[in-house]
């Protein structure tokens, strides 16, 4: 099959993904073989490819927002031709303390799609049959792909931040995940305040009904109940904290951050403000969010790339040149 393979991490400007022929994956018990119909591009892919996360091992195929059609169901009980989604969590041990306490997102021995397992920048991929999600028919391939990490983890961020209907919510950074959860926040009648760099991201936020849109250094004009940061920048976390009312929560939706600057406790965290990270996702987050996405007819803005253009997709993502989400169609 054709795949985009990472031999060793490097700056995306050097085209570290090699588009090449590799052997088809071999089905094994507990797995299903999927023909990839679309695979979303996530900022985590960029962190993996550039080596900001520990190296995944040689010859890894990235991609963890996979819409696939089952071509070999193995022993799963699923059927050939069924369309399913695969996300970042590729599997958990089911036996650790976290798994036993409904926190499988924090599992001690997890597998991650497109990182510790091969992912969806390829024509075919294997996935654990208990970690695939049936996709509502109303969501077509291109529009379902970005929901599978950007959407699900964005939705988890809303939960971690404790967002209630009608609240004032700040989104700091406006990439794929933020633009998807904007639709959820609208459905919940929240007022959304967006701080982001780049005039085209700002225009998109305005067109999606933000109450206020400013640059990355601008302070929202109202105190926020909740804030979610998406940019891989510690400065942005401090800006988000500075915008909170007492008792408010900042949820950091980023798997990697540069350094968080020293900050003033008395003004920024005192008053029972909370700073939390958002790590991975659970299968119930995925099922809840996909159901909600179908109910609210979530229709993300997508930019399509071919598998041959996998490096270009990552270069564009790094430069903030993609409004909405990038999707690779192999
Ligand atoms: Zn576990
Ligand atoms: Zn992701």
């Amino acid at each position: 099959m054709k795949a985009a393979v990472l031999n060793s991490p490097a700056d995306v400007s050097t085209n570290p993904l090699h588009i090449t022929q590799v052997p088809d994956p071999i089905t094994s018990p507990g797995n299903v073989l999927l023909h990839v119909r679309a695979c979303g591009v996530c900022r985590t892919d960029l962190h993996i490819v550039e080596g900001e996360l520990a190296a995944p091992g040689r010859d890894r195929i990235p991609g963890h927002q996979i819409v696939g059609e089952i071509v070999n169901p193995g022993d799963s009980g699923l059927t050939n031709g069924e369309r399913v989604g695969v996300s970042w969590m590729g599997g958990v041990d089911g036996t650790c303390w976290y798994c036993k306490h409904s926190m499988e997102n924090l599992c001690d021995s997890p597998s991650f799609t497109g990182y510790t397992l091969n992912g969806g920048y390829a024509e075919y991929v294997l996935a654990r049959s208990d970690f695939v999600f049936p996709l509502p028919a109303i969501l077509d391939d291109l529009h379902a792909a970005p929901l599978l990490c950007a959407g699900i983890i964005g939705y988890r961020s809303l939960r971690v931040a404790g967002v209630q209907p009608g609240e004032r919510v700040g989104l700091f950074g406006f990439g794929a995940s933020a633009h998807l959860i904007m639709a959820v926040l609208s459905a919940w009648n929240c007022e959304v305040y967006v701080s982001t760099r780049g005039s085209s991201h700002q225009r998109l936020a305005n067109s999606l009904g933000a109450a206020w849109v400013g640059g990355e250094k601008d302070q929202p004009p109202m105190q926020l109940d909740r804030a979610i940061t998406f940019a891989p920048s510690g400065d942005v976390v401090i800006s988000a904290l500075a915008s909170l009312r007492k008792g408010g929560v900042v949820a950091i939706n980023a798997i990697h951050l540069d350094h968080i600057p020293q900050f003033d406790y008395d003004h920024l965290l005192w008053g029972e403000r909370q700073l939390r990270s958002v790590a991975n996702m659970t299968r119930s987050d995925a099922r809840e969010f996909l159901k909600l996405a179908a109910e609210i007819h979530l229709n993300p803005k997508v930019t399509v790339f071919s598998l041959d253009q996998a490096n270009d997709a990552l270069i564009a993502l790094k430069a903030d040149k993609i409004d909405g989400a990038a999707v690779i169609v192999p």
Side-chain angles (χ1 to χ4, degrees):
M1 67 169 181
K2 188 170 170 180
V5 178
L6 179 68
N7 302 131
S8 53
D11 192 282
V12 280
S13 64
T14 65
N15 295 331
L17 292 174
H18 298 278
I19 317 303
T20 183
Q21 292 290 322
V22 299
D24 286 352
I26 297 165
T27 328
S28 55
N31 290 300
V32 293
L33 181 64
L34 305 177
H35 178 230
V36 179
R37 292 165 64 139
C39 183
V41 177
C42 177
R43 185 164 287 275
T44 300
D45 302 340
L46 185 61
H47 294 317
I48 292 168
V49 167
E50 296 207 310
E52 281 151 339
L53 302 186
R58 279 190 72 77
D59 302 339
R60 182 64 69 226
I61 302 170
H64 60 266
Q65 305 189 88
I66 305 167
V67 175
E69 181 183 329
I70 296 178
V71 291
N72 185 343
D75 55 3
S76 65
L78 298 163
T79 50
N80 262 335
E82 200 172 332
R83 199 177 63 126
V84 294
V86 181
S87 187
W88 171 240
M89 291 302 279
V92 296
D93 58 14
T95 56
C96 75
W97 188 88
Y98 298 98
C99 284
K100 289 193 165 153
H101 289 80
S102 304
M103 290 183 267
E104 66 180 11
N105 60 306
L106 302 178
C107 178
D108 283 332
S109 311
S111 308
F112 296 116
T113 313
Y115 183 42
T116 63
L117 305 169
N118 279 336
Y121 289 15
E123 289 176 304
Y124 294 92
V125 66
L126 271 188
R128 229 174 90 165
S129 57
D130 52 348
F131 277 79
V132 300
F133 308 102
L135 294 172
I138 195 167
L139 304 169
D140 68 26
D141 299 342
L142 286 181
H143 296 95
L147 306 184
L148 289 162
C149 174
I152 295 167
I153 295 181
Y155 176 72
R156 183 173 181 86
S157 308
L158 299 181
R159 293 296 190 208
V160 167
V163 173
Q164 300 296 316
E167 286 191 325
R168 286 193 192 110
V169 180
L171 303 179
F172 289 76
F174 202 73
S177 197
H179 110 284
L180 285 166
I181 65 171
M182 182 102 187
V184 176
L185 291 168
S186 302
W188 291 353
N189 295 314
C190 290
E191 260 176 42
V192 185
Y193 295 78
V194 176
S195 274
T196 186
R197 65 181 183 184
S199 54
S200 74
H201 283 15
Q202 292 172 359
R203 272 197 301 278
L204 180 61
N206 266 315
S207 74
L208 293 173
W212 172 87
V213 179
E216 59 179 333
K217 300 219 164 69
D218 298 333
Q219 195 72 18
M222 313 286 281
Q223 285 200 316
L224 305 174
D225 299 304
R226 321 279 160 187
I228 301 162
T229 70
F230 300 91
S233 149
D235 289 329
V236 168
V237 171
I238 301 305
S239 301
L241 263 182
S243 69
L244 283 188
R245 65 156 166 81
K246 286 180 280 190
V249 181
V250 171
I252 304 172
N253 179 342
I255 195 167
H256 160 79
L257 270 195
D258 63 6
H259 148 103
I260 299 186
Q262 193 170 33
F263 64 88
D264 183 74
Y265 170 81
D266 299 9
H267 290 101
L268 291 180
L269 205 57
W270 169 250
E272 299 197 343
R273 292 172 176 92
Q274 294 181 56
L275 186 55
R276 299 187 61 182
S277 65
V278 182
N280 311 320
M281 45 161 291
T282 65
R283 281 170 282 181
S284 56
D285 293 329
R287 286 188 280 262
E288 266 178 46
F289 173 69
L290 290 169
K291 180 167 174 282
L292 177 64
E295 281 164 11
I296 66 175
H297 294 207
L298 216 166
N299 192 22
K301 184 174 169 58
V302 298
T303 305
V304 176
F305 294 83
S306 68
L307 192 50
D308 290 323
Q309 297 170 310
N311 287 297
D312 303 327
L314 291 174
I315 289 167
L317 178 68
K318 187 177 182 182
D320 278 332
K321 292 250 169 67
I322 293 170
D323 287 329
V327 176
I328 289 175
V329 176

